[in-house]
């Protein structure tokens, strides 16, 4: 079609993707089609993803998680991604925690915290153990939503199953800084003293901005003097 001067559109790509989804092992070509669409400013629509969903559920393609990332992360199609999730969950026998992490992360980043919490609670009920990514996804979602008490509760639950990491630490500190809850941040940082966590670039930028506006923060958190000297 390109050679004949006829510009392709969403309908064109949907037809091609539908054909590819009928053939086993063609997910690589489907991925190429997605990339081409974006390059040409032709964006996948709900029908595009419905075609892929049906193909995945019929063929048991291992890249279902990547499709959900595209649906939620790039295009905000949360409901459609949940449809794919529910279908695959019923079909797959080897579902692991990473499958659920993709869903929880997508829901949290789109403000669907109630749905994310429901999926999180389901994980334990079906015999899977949440890992550090599972907890971090929930903590990040709560912090983005300004629900810092819920984020702290999740950290307490996390301590029973796995160790926090730098991401956990930075998400909480960043959440306190964005909400201007400096006293709570100071308390949290003192609780974390000696655990070896360090600031990432985003948290450092937030912290520098907060200190420039309120230098007394340095006196509230002595540990920052040590960081400053490094």
């Amino acid at each position: 079609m390109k050679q004949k001067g006829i510009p392709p559109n969403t309908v064109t790509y949907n037809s091609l993707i539908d054909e590819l989804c009928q053939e086993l092992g063609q997910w690589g070509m489907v991925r190429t089609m997605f990339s081409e669409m974006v390059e040409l400013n032709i964006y996948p629509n709900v029908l595009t993803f419905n075609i892929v969903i049906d193909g995945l559920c019929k063929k048991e393609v291992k890249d279902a998680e990547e499709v959900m990332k595209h649906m939620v992360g790039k295009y905000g199609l949360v409901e459609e991604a949940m449809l794919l999730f529910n279908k695959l969950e019923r079909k797959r026998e080897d579902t692991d925690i990473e499958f659920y992490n993709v869903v929880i992360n997508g829901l949290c980043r789109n403000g669907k915290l109630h749905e994310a919490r429901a999926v999180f609670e389901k994980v334990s009920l079906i015999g899977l153990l949440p890992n550090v990514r599972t907890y971090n996804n929930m903590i990040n979602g709560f912090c983005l939503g300004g629900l810092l008490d819920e984020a702290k509760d999740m950290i307490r639950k996390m301590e029973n199953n796995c160790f926090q990491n730098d991401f956990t630490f930075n998400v909480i500190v960043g959440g306190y800084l964005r909400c201007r809850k400096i006293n709570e941040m100071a308390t949290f940082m003192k609780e974390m003293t000696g655990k070896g966590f360090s600031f990432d670039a985003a948290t450092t930028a937030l912290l520098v901005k907060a200190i420039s506006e309120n230098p007394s923060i340095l006196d509230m958190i002595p540990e920052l003097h040590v960081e400053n000297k490094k």
Side-chain angles (χ1 to χ4, degrees), residues 135-149:
Y135 284 105
N136 282 345
N137 287 336
M138 288 300 305
I139 291 167
N140 190 40
F142 286 134
C143 286
L144 290 174
L147 302 174
L148 296 170
D149 288 340

Side-chain angles (χ1 to χ4, degrees), residues 170 173-174 177-178 180 182 185 189 199-218 221 224 227-228:
N170 281 284
V173 172
L177 287 168
R178 279 189 292 271
R180 297 184 179 277
I182 305 304
M185 183 195 74
M189 288 185 63
F199 298 121
D200 63 17
T203 306
T204 300
L206 286 172
L207 198 53
V208 168
K209 184 175 185 294
I211 292 171
S212 69
E213 295 172 353
N214 181 9
S216 65
I217 292 174
L218 282 170
I221 311 169
L224 290 179
E227 292 290 333
N228 258 1

Side-chain angles (χ1 to χ4, degrees), residues 2-42:
K2 291 180 186 177
Q3 293 173 344
K4 294 181 180 179
I6 303 173
N9 56 25
T10 305
V11 175
T12 311
Y13 277 100
N14 284 350
S15 298
L16 292 171
I17 290 171
D18 188 28
E19 289 182 19
L20 291 169
C21 284
Q22 304 306 315
E23 301 177 32
L24 187 63
Q26 292 298 316
W27 170 241
M29 285 298 298
V30 172
R31 189 162 43 206
T32 299
M33 290 292 174
F34 274 117
S35 298
E36 281 187 14
M37 292 178 79
V38 174
E39 287 174 7
L40 295 171
N41 292 319
I42 303 170

Side-chain angles (χ1 to χ4, degrees), residues 155-207:
I155 283 184
R156 282 189 280 273
K157 291 180 181 178
M158 185 180 193
E159 289 171 349
N160 297 323
N161 294 306
C162 58
F163 294 106
Q164 301 107 341
N165 58 16
D166 276 357
F167 184 87
T168 318
F169 174 76
N170 281 284
V171 164
I172 292 285
V173 172
Y176 282 132
L177 287 168
R178 279 189 292 271
C179 293
R180 297 184 179 277
K181 294 190 174 183
I182 305 304
N183 289 330
E184 291 89 339
M185 183 195 74
T187 300
F188 174 72
M189 288 185 63
K190 287 172 183 174
E191 290 174 1
M192 297 293 107
T193 299
K195 295 190 176 181
F197 297 127
S198 58
F199 298 121
D200 63 17
T203 306
T204 300
L206 286 172
L207 198 53

